Amino acid sequence: MQNVLKLDALAASTLKTDPYPYFSVERAIDPEQVSEIIKAFPSITDGGSYNIDDVEMSPVFSQLIESLDTPEFRRIICDKFDVAVMDLPMMVTLRGYSRKKDGRIHTDSKTKVATILIYLNDEWQAESGKLRVLRSGNDMNDFVEEISPGPGSLMAFKVTDNCWHGYPSFEGKRQSIQINFLTSEAAGNKHRFFHGLSAKIKSLFK
């Protein structure tokens, strides 16, 4: 599976700086492949993030994951956000189900340099569950943009002290890939450990 991401669209997208640096692309995945990829998304029926090593992936989905880490993609992130990620470790996690408590306003950890979210859902019909770029950490309705988690929608942002984001409470299937460029391998190992531990604990209560 080659050129799954529409790199030209990512490179051409407008960088927005209010309230922090971010960009979005409504259809960031090749339209001829996105339906097959959505169908191939690993079965995740619990909330929380899962390391890609902790889920069963079909060949189609494995090829997508492998295609994400390319010099071309990294260069776009470097150029957009004026950060050096060419040699930084990359962590990929999956979410497949949103709980009512998910989506709360937060910023990302300082061990992350940049975050890229790719949504893999069919056309999004629900009013809630749409990602909001927020101006503050205390008002979900004070947002500058709302991004629907539809088929192949992508949002990327530079991790800053004020990179507030979240979404109105939604319970149900809400599939996404989260890509993080991390400050160090040690940071990556820490994140992977806690995501893996969470997955193992959940499995004990099934």
Side-chain angles (χ1 to χ4, degrees), residues 139-205:
D139 188 354
M140 183 67 79
N141 291 317
D142 187 13
F143 62 95
V144 299
E145 187 169 354
E146 189 174 57
I147 298 164
S148 177
S153 176
L154 178 147
M155 188 272 201
F157 61 90
K158 183 176 181 177
V159 176
T160 62
D161 290 340
N162 68 321
C163 62
W164 302 106
H165 57 285
Y167 59 87
S169 179
F170 174 81
E171 185 171 16
K173 185 177 177 180
R174 187 178 184 274
Q175 300 180 155
S176 64
I177 301 173
Q178 179 167 309
I179 304 161
N180 293 110
F181 290 106
L182 304 171
T183 55
S184 67
E185 284 291 350
N189 291 336
K190 181 179 179 181
H191 283 292
R192 281 186 284 270
F193 171 78
F194 283 110
H195 289 317
L197 180 62
S198 176
K200 288 180 175 65
I201 291 173
K202 289 169 188 170
S203 69
L204 293 175
F205 291 93

Side-chain angles (χ1 to χ4, degrees), residues 1 4-5 28-29 33-34 36-42 44 48-53 55 57-58 60-69 73 90-97 108 112 114-121 131 147-157 165 167 173-181 195:
M1 184 179 295
V4 177
L5 283 180
I29 291 182
Q33 302 184 63
V34 68
E36 183 181 6
I37 291 170
I38 290 172
K39 291 176 183 176
F41 196 96
I44 299 176
S49 296
Y50 286 77
N51 296 323
I52 54 173
D53 293 337
V55 298
M57 294 190 293
S58 69
V60 168
F61 203 80
S62 293
Q63 289 172 19
L64 166 65
I65 297 300
E66 290 169 5
S67 76
L68 294 175
D69 191 7
F73 179 58
M90 188 179 88
M91 179 177 70
V92 180
T93 54
L94 305 178
R95 284 180 174 265
Y97 188 87
D108 278 16
K112 299 174 182 177
T115 295
I116 302 93
L117 300 167
I118 302 174
Y119 293 101
L120 291 170
N121 305 284
L131 182 69
I147 298 164
S148 177
S153 176
L154 178 147
M155 188 272 201
F157 61 90
H165 57 285
Y167 59 87
K173 185 177 177 180
R174 187 178 184 274
Q175 300 180 155
S176 64
I177 301 173
Q178 179 167 309
I179 304 161
N180 293 110
F181 290 106
H195 289 317

